[in-house]
Amino acid sequence: MQLTKEKVMLTQKTIDIVKSTAPVIAAAGPAVTQHFYQRMFQHNPELKDIFNMSHQQGPDKNTPSSQQQALFNAICAYANNIDNLAVLLPAVEKIAQKHTSFLITADQYQIVGHHLLATIDELLAPGQEVLDAWGEAYGVLANVFINREQEIYQESDDKIGGWRGTREFVVTSKQPNSELITSFTFTPTDGGQVATYKPGQYLGIYINAQELANQEIRQYSLSSAPNNNHYRISVKRETQGTVSNYLHDKINVGDKIKLVAPAGDFFLDVNPQTPVTLISAGVGLTPMLAMLETLTQHQAPVNWLHATENGQQHAYKDHVKTLANQHSHISALTWYNAPTSGDRQVEDYDYQGLIELDKIATQISDPEMHFYCCGPVGFMQFIAKQLIELGVTSDRIHYECFGPHKVL
């Protein structure tokens, strides 16, 4: 079920106060959210077991982190559209899906609301009338999230093989795919089935270890087509990645791990006659793999366009090539930015440099074609710009950001 339109049950006076004071909060900049997070973690340190603390670190002390910037943008967007909530529904759905991977509860919304109002009061001292208006507005928004998240929890629980909360799995396979990416396969220890998912969605992973300061929760895209027996993720080792390094270095076949059911608002959603192009860079190929494997029986053309640095970082090269050879409707093209001396054009890759879509414009010119994209934000912005210049309408461009969401 997708999020439906909600009516904002607020008085006109409250709406007017929130909209009139929104510019004051906007002028304060991300200092508002920086203060909010510092205050919340000081008074409720248990929430460090839920939030990704690496997203709280900006490039320097004067620059907000990605998570702080995302929250600031969300506050401003809500305040400016408080009388037109329908505009925000896609963003609400995205956040609600992510919240279910963190098992967010109604009580935690109360904690967040308390610290948000306290932050506004401490930084801006706007007076009780303004605080009451913002409190009322926050309560309405919190209820929208709480209700939608309860629906998602219930939908997951009702599936065959579904569950709510965490469930114990065992690692049944650990397979390096490139010098940076390793795949992990998880099978439930209770011997039951696993819930199906939509290709493109992610899996929630809970890590508790003595060497880690807090419980760590991450979401990793499922990298294979749905099945009833197991899940597979493919994880890139990040230089400063607390969890990615832990998985690569510490987790092995036979180890047990707690997982939360698949979720996410980015997924393959086309009819069998719709042509599809999958575009990825680096580890962005993970949700694309789940889509590609699902599209092997598709009735329309499918393009796989992937960019990576070189052959040493090219994950699933042989697997994708095999699928393309076995299915005539699938075409696979690869770009290497900096091929090594051992990389051979045609055999290992098709083009050198960045993806330039005008070179294959004819192949992706179908006006009914849908495009799914995943990779670094800069890469996706580069691709989206090219697609728009080629006449692709925005409703046919779908993308996923790893980490806090950004608009392309």
Side-chain angles (χ1 to χ4, degrees):
M1 179 192 296
Q2 291 297 307
L3 190 63
T4 56
K5 185 175 180 179
E6 299 276 352
K7 183 177 181 181
V8 179
M9 302 301 293
L10 295 170
T11 65
Q12 188 60 48
K13 180 179 179 181
T14 293
I15 291 172
D16 291 342
I17 290 174
V18 170
K19 294 195 76 169
S20 66
T21 54
V24 178
I25 291 179
V32 172
T33 49
Q34 286 179 311
H35 184 91
F36 160 77
Y37 278 115
Q38 291 170 0
R39 189 184 203 283
M40 183 173 68
F41 291 139
Q42 178 183 354
H43 290 84
N44 293 92
E46 72 277 8
L47 295 182
K48 292 181 180 181
D49 285 338
I50 296 175
F51 284 82
N52 183 340
M53 297 308 294
S54 65
H55 286 165
Q56 301 301 319
Q57 303 298 320
D60 57 68
K61 64 180 181 180
N62 297 317
T63 304
S65 69
S66 56
Q67 185 62 65
Q68 292 165 354
Q69 186 66 54
L71 177 59
F72 175 74
N73 292 340
I75 292 171
C76 292
Y78 177 53
N80 291 326
N81 294 281
I82 194 170
D83 52 353
N84 185 21
L85 186 59
V87 173
L88 303 178
L89 293 184
V92 170
E93 178 67 14
K94 182 177 294 293
I95 295 170
Q97 291 282 340
K98 184 65 70 71
H99 279 182
T100 61
S101 277
F102 293 104
L103 301 177
I104 298 299
T105 66
D107 288 343
Q108 289 164 341
Y109 276 100
Q110 298 302 314
I111 294 172
V112 168
H114 167 73
H115 291 297
L116 180 61
L117 292 179
T119 294
I120 293 174
D121 187 28
E122 290 166 3
L123 289 186
L124 305 174
Q128 194 59 47
E129 185 177 51
V130 172
L131 291 174
D132 289 345
W134 275 88
E136 185 181 351
Y138 173 82
V140 167
L141 183 62
N143 284 333
V144 171
F145 278 111
I146 290 168
N147 292 335
R148 177 55 186 146
E149 287 157 22
Q150 287 302 318
E151 291 177 349
I152 298 170
Y153 287 135
Q154 193 62 52
E155 290 165 7
S156 177
D157 200 20
D158 289 343
K159 288 181 179 179
I160 296 175
W163 72 97
R164 180 168 180 165
T166 59
R167 183 180 178 187
E168 187 179 72
F169 283 68
V170 63
V171 179
T172 50
S173 174
K174 179 180 181 181
Q175 182 65 46
N177 307 118
S178 73
E179 67 177 10
L180 294 177
I181 296 174
T182 293
S183 289
F184 300 82
T185 300
F186 306 110
T187 303
T189 57
D190 59 22
Q193 291 187 341
V194 299
T196 189
Y197 55 91
K198 299 171 182 176
Q201 291 189 304
Y202 47 74
L203 192 66
I205 294 182
Y206 282 55
I207 302 291
N208 288 279
Q210 289 184 343
E211 58 262 52
L212 302 179
N214 305 105
Q215 171 180 264
E216 298 286 352
I217 305 172
R218 295 293 187 274
Q219 295 80 30
Y220 290 107
S221 297
L222 289 143
S223 61
S224 63
N227 65 83
N228 295 323
N229 304 312
H230 61 264
Y231 294 125
R232 186 183 75 190
I233 62 171
S234 303
V235 180
K236 177 186 176 185
R237 182 194 290 274
E238 301 287 354
T239 303
Q240 302 297 323
T242 301
V243 174
S244 69
N245 281 289
Y246 184 85
L247 289 171
H248 277 252
D249 297 335
K250 302 293 185 180
I251 296 296
N252 294 298
V253 172
D255 290 340
K256 295 181 174 63
I257 197 166
K258 295 292 182 67
L259 303 179
V260 170
D265 71 321
F266 174 72
F267 50 81
L268 183 68
D269 184 20
V270 294
N271 65 52
Q273 290 77 39
T274 299
V276 175
T277 292
L278 308 174
I279 310 175
S280 60
V283 76
L285 59 67
T286 51
M288 303 294 122
L289 279 169
M291 295 183 188
L292 183 67
E293 291 183 1
T294 302
L295 291 166
T296 55
Q297 304 304 314
H298 204 54
Q299 298 174 19
V302 175
N303 297 310
W304 169 274
L305 311 180
H306 180 60
T308 189
E309 193 67 14
N310 52 49
Q312 294 176 337
Q313 296 187 24
H314 189 178
Y316 285 99
K317 179 181 72 173
D318 293 338
H319 179 56
V320 171
K321 184 180 293 186
T322 297
L323 292 179
N325 289 337
Q326 291 177 344
H327 303 280
S328 59
H329 68 288
I330 295 178
S331 171
L333 296 173
T334 303
W335 282 254
Y336 281 4
N337 186 45
T340 67
S341 59
D343 293 329
R344 293 175 173 79
Q345 195 164 7
V346 179
E347 182 180 340
D348 297 313
Y349 66 99
D350 300 284
Y351 299 98
Q352 182 173 347
L354 304 179
I355 293 182
E356 297 177 354
L357 295 177
D358 57 350
K359 292 183 177 179
I360 58 167
T362 303
Q363 190 170 328
I364 59 174
S365 62
D366 192 314
E368 299 299 317
M369 183 170 286
H370 277 245
F371 298 81
Y372 290 82
C373 186
C374 189
V377 172
F379 166 80
M380 293 193 294
Q381 291 172 333
F382 176 64
I383 293 297
K385 181 176 183 293
Q386 293 184 68
L387 290 174
I388 292 170
E389 289 174 348
L390 289 172
V392 178
T393 53
S394 60
D395 62 304
R396 293 188 287 129
I397 303 173
H398 317 277
Y399 65 96
E400 174 83 319
C401 291
F402 293 160
H405 183 68
K406 295 184 179 180
V407 177
L408 300 187

